């Protein structure tokens, strides 16, 4: 099962080796993080990033190994934006000549980059960005300027204190005419003494939610006061400005700029499965250790994991972790195919790739954030302790719902893709993840044929149910859109319905991907059978959760929905014997989990007590302030005490 989770024996070997490398290196210790102040947190993270870079070079790690090394260090820092956004943007949006100049510098970290798109006043609405890049024909330079307070670049990781360069998105202006938002390579700091360059005001945006989580990252604000850069520092693969000041478009569509976001969002989906698997691992292990109520004749109390209410909340999250894992693996192959196509100027699959990554980013991050919090509650009061690992994990993960595209905005982008697909049905047969919409007529007319609970253990019946629901919701939205005077008016009025239709479409993708994975060869005795159970749990849990949609569209009867829930309860009993083995298959080290509740040996209570005694407040029996502020109250001398 570890191999099935990792994706291949080779992938497992790399993950396992990097996880152990990090866990066994004292430099990467992280249990003291919650006790550190902001400055100590940041400096400690810089030290870890430097040590990681040294390991990368000393051990001659591959890019894949380095990626997993950074992952298991498990601490947001400036290298995240450098490797995950700055470098991919250079690869995807630079000309070949520009790549030869910038990529060697970036890949050897002779420069450190970040990605400055979001502003104080604008995030998801890229076309509303206010930063300007005005071409000066006389000097052949662009003048980068922040004309308003709200045009300040806001949020880029690494920008505040570390990055030497940034890809800055700005409104291109030539002779007073606006030519869209374009990316520019702007040097932020001196490579000699690291000081901000003239005309650039830069700083940190302040403490974020949680403590030791994203506060290790120097998310920054930057203002530009007529900062000049050479003409060739505009990202020029899609469009460029000649020496004479002429704006020239290449044969590459502007949407190629989405490729960087596609890359980032497919990584975010993969990260969702990892984060959810951590929370589920902690909650499952602790649910097996914790006993509560149910004692008979003086015997031991019942393991919490044996309560059906616990299983009903926990096991769908376990199944979701696997579902998101397989979806992320499929998405990675989709992106690899997209990259190969873009290199030969084949842009045919870009709209679908953009819609898939935007939609799955929204679905998986929302479900994971909710799932981590549910796992905290599943651990009772102890889940609230920092030492449980869950509060810090939640604080670390929850910004994924808003960064790289706010989740509702992402689903609205999927909705535009769906509406266009349905509208084009008379002229164009949809392919890929939208292929089922080509059968919208039969899917609208057919009804579910399930008659018994066992009938829900048919992959075909499950896929058809999800496709029929999604197709009917998309078709209904399109019919209602046609009633409005303008498409934009209709889109605004029906946006909530369109979001629900998009979510239904995304769930088709995840459920179908899980089922297709089960149709492939999966070695190991009982591994495929265990995954089949999880697949049915995931699908039937979603069906139960959204049964209002399935019933409202007319595909299911109330009786069929009830049968699905009956089967779901039966499946929980099949998950229970393997629950611990399944979370062990994630192969998470105790270092990575950072949880006394989820420790591998199950020795929870001594570890809880030990962690408590390490709190700085326990350094002395009588802490500072007691004699000054408490004893005067006890001795009734408060009126004479000097406060």
């Amino acid at each position: 099962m570890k191999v099935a989770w990792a994706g291949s024996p080779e992938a497992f070997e790399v993950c396992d080796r990097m996880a152990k490398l990090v866990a066994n290196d004292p430099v990467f210790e992280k249990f003291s993080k919650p006790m550190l102040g902001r400055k100590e947190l940041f400096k400690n993270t810089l030290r870890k990033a430097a040590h990681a870079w040294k390991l990368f070079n000393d051990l001659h790690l591959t890019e894949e190994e380095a990626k997993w090394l950074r992952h298991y260090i498990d601490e947001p820092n400036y290298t995240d934006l450098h490797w995950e956004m700055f470098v991919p943007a250079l690869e995807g949006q630079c000309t070949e000549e520009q790549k030869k100049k910038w990529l060697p510098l970036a890949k050897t970290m002779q420069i450190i980059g970040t990605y400055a798109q979001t502003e104080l006043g604008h995030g998801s609405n890229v076309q509303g960005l206010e930063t300007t890049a005005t071409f000066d024909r006389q000097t052949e330079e662009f003048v980068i300027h922040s004309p308003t307070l709200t045009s300040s670049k806001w949020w880029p990781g690494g920008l505040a204190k570390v990055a030497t360069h940034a890809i800055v998105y700005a409104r291109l202006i030539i002779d007073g005419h606006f030519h869209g938002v374009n990316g520019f390579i702007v040097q932020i700091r001196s490579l000699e003494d690291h000081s901000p360059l003239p005309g650039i005001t830069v700083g940190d945006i302040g403490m974020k939610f949680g403590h030791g989580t994203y506060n290790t990252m120097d998310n920054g604000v930057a203002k530009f006061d007529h900062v000049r850069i050479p003409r060739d520092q505009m990202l020029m693969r899609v469009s460029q400005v000649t020496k004479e000041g002429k704006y020239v478009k290449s044969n590459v569509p502007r949407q190629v700029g989405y490729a960087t976001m596609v890359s980032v969002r497919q990584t975010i989906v993969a990260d969702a499965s990892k984060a959810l698997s951590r929370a589920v691992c902690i909650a499952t292990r602790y649910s097996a250790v914790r006993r509560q109520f149910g004692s008979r004749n003086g015997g031991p109390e019942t393991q919490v994991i044996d309560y059906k209410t616990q299983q009903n909340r926990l096991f769908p999250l376990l199944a979701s972790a696997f579902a998101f894992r397989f979806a992320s693996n499929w998405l990675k192959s989709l992106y690899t195919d997209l990259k190969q196509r873009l290199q030969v100027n084949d842009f045919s699959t870009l709209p679908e790739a953009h819609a898939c990554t935007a939609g799955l980013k929204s679905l998986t991050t929302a479900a994971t954030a909710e799932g981590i919090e549910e796992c905290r509650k599943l651990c009772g009061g102890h889940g609230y302790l920092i030492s449980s690992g869950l509060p810090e994990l939640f604080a670390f993960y929850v910004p994924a719902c808003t960064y790289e595209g706010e989740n509702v905005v992402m689903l609205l982008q999927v909705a535009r893709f769906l509406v266009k697909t349905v509208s084009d049905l008379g002229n164009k047969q949809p392919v890929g993840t939208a292929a089922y919409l080509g059968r919208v007529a039969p899917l609208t007319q057919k009804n579910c044929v399930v008659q018994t609970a066992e009938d829900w253990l048919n992959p075909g019946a499950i896929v058809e149910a999800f496709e029929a629901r999604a197709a009917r919701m998309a078709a209904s939205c399109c019919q209602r859109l046609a009633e409005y005077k303008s498409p934009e008016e209709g889109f605004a009025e029906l946006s909530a319905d369109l979001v629900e239709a998009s979510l239904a479409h995304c769930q088709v993708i995840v459920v179908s991907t899980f089922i297709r994975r089960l149709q492939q060869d999966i070695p190991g005795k009982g591994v495929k059978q265990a995954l089949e159970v999880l697949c049915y749990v995931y699908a039937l849990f979603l069906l139960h959760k959204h049964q209002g949609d399935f019933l409202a569209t007319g595909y299911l009867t109330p009786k069929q929905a009830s049968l699905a829930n009956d089967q779901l309860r039966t499946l929980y009993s099949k998950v229970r014997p393997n629950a611990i083995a399944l979370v062990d298959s994630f192969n998470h080290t105790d270092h990575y989990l950072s949880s006394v509740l989820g420790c591998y040996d199950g020795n929870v209570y001594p570890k809880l007590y030990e962690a408590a005694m390490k709190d700085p407040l326990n350094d002395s029996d009588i802490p500072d302030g007691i004699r000054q502020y408490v004893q005067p109250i006890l001795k009734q001398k408060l009126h004479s005490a000097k406060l």
Side-chain angles (χ1 to χ4, degrees):
M1 188 63 82
K2 287 183 177 181
V3 172
W5 172 261
S8 69
E10 296 76 19
F12 169 71
E13 189 277 329
V14 171
C15 297
D16 186 58
R17 183 157 42 83
M18 291 300 106
K20 290 174 180 174
L21 177 65
V22 171
N24 294 325
D25 193 324
V27 173
F28 297 128
E29 181 276 328
K30 59 181 182 176
F31 287 93
S32 61
K33 274 173 57 180
M35 315 301 179
L36 300 178
R38 176 78 198 281
K39 288 185 176 180
E40 290 80 7
L41 266 178
F42 181 63
K43 185 176 180 181
N44 194 39
T45 301
L46 296 182
R47 179 174 64 96
K48 292 182 181 182
H51 186 60
W53 181 243
K54 184 176 185 301
L55 287 176
F56 173 78
N57 289 292
D58 290 350
L59 301 177
H60 305 289
L61 300 182
T62 64
E63 286 190 19
E64 184 71 7
E65 289 170 330
K67 182 192 76 173
W68 284 108
L69 177 74
R70 293 194 301 273
H71 170 73
Y72 284 116
I73 292 170
D74 189 37
E75 205 157 296
N77 68 77
Y78 66 90
T79 64
D80 295 350
L81 271 288
H82 177 82
W83 292 111
E84 294 171 17
M85 297 201 72
F86 184 71
V87 171
L90 293 177
E91 290 175 331
Q93 298 181 55
C94 282
T95 62
E96 292 304 316
E97 185 178 352
Q98 288 176 315
K99 287 180 188 178
K100 288 176 183 176
K101 175 181 177 180
W102 294 103
L103 281 175
L105 295 172
K107 289 192 172 183
T108 55
M109 296 198 80
Q110 294 178 68
I111 61 172
I112 296 171
T114 188
Y115 192 87
Q117 178 172 297
T118 299
E119 295 178 351
L120 183 57
H122 288 89
S124 299
N125 181 18
V126 177
Q127 293 307 310
L129 296 180
E130 298 176 79
T131 304
T132 56
T134 305
F135 186 65
D136 184 336
R137 191 178 280 103
Q138 291 184 339
T139 61
E140 294 183 30
E141 294 174 316
F142 291 105
V143 181
I144 310 296
H145 184 59
S146 306
T148 63
L149 177 67
T150 50
S151 68
S152 305
K153 292 300 178 183
W154 191 275
W155 275 116
L159 175 64
K161 302 297 176 184
V162 182
T164 63
H165 290 70
I167 291 178
V168 176
Y169 282 85
R171 302 171 68 83
L172 173 60
I173 298 172
I174 306 173
D175 297 331
H177 296 290
F178 172 52
H179 292 277
V181 173
N182 291 264
F184 301 84
I185 302 170
V186 181
Q187 185 169 347
I188 303 296
R189 289 181 169 84
S190 164
L191 294 174
E192 299 300 322
D193 63 5
H194 210 68
S195 59
L197 295 182
I200 299 177
T201 303
V202 64
D204 192 273
I205 64 171
M207 292 283 280
K208 281 86 64 177
F209 184 57
H211 176 70
T213 54
Y214 249 93
N215 290 306
T216 58
M217 177 78 85
D218 55 323
N219 295 95
V221 52
K223 293 177 69 178
F224 303 95
D225 184 5
H226 299 92
V227 175
R228 291 178 172 270
I229 62 170
R231 182 182 63 88
D232 63 2
Q233 286 183 208
M234 173 184 177
L235 301 183
M236 291 190 174
R237 184 182 177 196
V238 174
S239 55
Q240 56 183 267
V241 176
T242 67
K243 293 180 180 181
E244 296 74 28
K246 184 179 179 182
Y247 178 70
V248 181
K249 291 183 180 180
S250 72
N251 61 350
V252 177
R254 290 190 63 84
Q255 288 81 355
V256 78
Y258 293 153
T260 302
M261 302 309 292
V262 168
S263 167
V264 172
R265 288 170 186 157
Q266 66 94 13
T267 300
I268 290 173
V269 175
D271 289 343
S273 72
K274 297 167 191 171
L276 185 55
S277 72
R278 289 172 69 173
V280 168
C281 184
I282 294 168
T284 303
R285 286 176 175 173
Y286 181 62
S287 295
V289 170
R290 184 73 169 181
R291 291 178 178 271
Q292 204 80 302
F293 306 115
S295 175
R296 295 182 182 179
N297 302 319
E301 294 177 279
T302 301
Q303 288 172 282
V304 171
I305 199 171
D306 286 329
Y307 288 106
K308 290 296 180 181
T309 49
Q310 193 83 349
Q311 294 177 8
N312 186 55
R313 297 161 66 191
L314 179 60
F315 291 168
L317 297 176
L318 173 59
S320 297
F322 279 92
F324 297 167
R325 184 69 165 189
F326 297 142
S328 72
N329 290 343
W330 167 78
L331 212 52
K332 185 176 181 180
S333 65
L334 182 77
Y335 176 64
T336 300
D337 176 71
L338 174 66
K339 272 179 63 175
Q340 292 170 348
R341 289 173 180 269
L342 292 180
Q343 286 170 0
V344 293
N345 289 344
D346 176 0
F347 310 106
S348 59
T349 61
L350 188 55
E352 185 194 13
H354 177 249
C356 283
T357 51
L360 293 186
K361 183 270 179 189
S362 177
L363 181 154
T364 58
T365 56
T368 296
E370 292 170 7
I372 295 169
E373 169 62 5
E374 187 69 5
C375 285
R376 183 192 67 78
K377 291 185 284 190
L378 284 165
C379 291
H382 293 333
Y384 192 64
L385 288 167
I386 291 293
S387 60
S388 76
L390 292 164
E392 290 282 277
L393 178 59
F394 179 75
F396 163 77
Y397 188 76
V398 76
C401 295
T402 44
Y403 65 53
E404 312 315 329
E406 194 278 331
N407 280 355
V408 171
V409 175
M410 292 295 93
L411 289 176
L412 287 172
Q413 291 182 9
V414 177
R416 292 192 181 277
F417 170 76
L418 291 177
V419 169
K420 187 175 188 312
T421 301
V422 174
S423 301
D424 289 347
L425 283 178
N427 307 313
K428 188 178 178 183
Q429 188 67 16
V431 295
T433 54
Y436 71 95
L437 291 173
R439 296 178 281 110
V440 67
L443 284 173
T444 303
Q445 295 161 7
K446 284 181 71 175
N447 290 324
C448 184
V449 296
V450 165
Q451 295 182 333
T452 67
E454 290 72 25
D455 288 346
W456 280 116
L457 300 181
N458 179 341
I462 287 175
V463 171
E464 183 175 282
F466 277 85
E467 288 182 344
R469 165 211 179 201
R472 293 179 188 207
M473 292 175 75
S476 173
C477 284
C478 288
Q479 289 170 359
R480 293 164 66 193
L481 281 170
E483 299 170 5
Y484 289 85
K485 293 180 181 178
S486 73
E488 286 307 311
E489 180 191 354
F491 206 88
E493 286 295 319
L494 299 176
S495 57
D497 301 71
L498 288 162
V499 163
E500 292 178 0
S502 297
L503 182 61
H505 169 71
C506 294
Q507 289 174 350
V508 169
I509 297 174
V510 179
V511 170
S512 300
T513 301
F514 204 152
I515 288 173
R516 282 199 306 273
R517 179 68 183 93
L518 293 173
Q519 292 167 348
Q520 299 168 6
D521 180 48
I522 302 177
K525 184 178 180 181
V527 172
K528 178 177 282 193
Q529 290 82 347
L531 289 174
E532 284 174 344
V533 171
L534 291 174
C535 180
Y536 292 129
V537 166
Y538 178 72
L540 296 182
F541 167 75
L542 285 183
L543 193 151
H544 177 66
K545 182 179 180 181
H546 299 281
Q547 64 178 304
D549 288 344
F550 287 93
L551 294 172
T553 57
Y555 181 74
L556 290 187
T557 65
K559 175 64 175 176
Q560 289 167 329
S562 178
L563 290 172
N565 201 36
D566 291 343
Q567 184 56 246
L568 187 58
R569 282 195 302 273
T570 302
L571 289 167
Y572 291 154
S573 299
K574 294 183 178 180
V575 175
R576 171 63 185 96
N578 292 320
I580 298 300
L582 286 166
V583 298
D584 285 354
S585 73
F586 300 147
N587 203 39
H588 296 330
T589 62
D590 282 352
H591 174 275
Y592 181 60
L593 285 180
S594 302
S595 170
V596 294
L597 301 188
C599 53
Y600 182 75
D601 62 11
N603 201 20
V604 168
Y605 299 120
K607 286 187 165 87
L608 268 171
Y609 190 85
E610 182 184 350
M613 291 303 103
K614 288 180 179 177
D615 191 282
L617 208 54
N618 289 322
D619 286 348
S620 63
D621 289 333
I622 305 174
D624 291 345
I626 293 294
R627 289 188 173 91
Q628 185 178 1
Y629 299 116
V630 176
Q631 285 193 325
I633 295 175
L634 293 171
K635 295 179 179 180
Q636 303 299 302
K637 294 182 179 180
L638 187 61
H639 63 280
S640 61
K642 294 182 179 180
L643 296 178

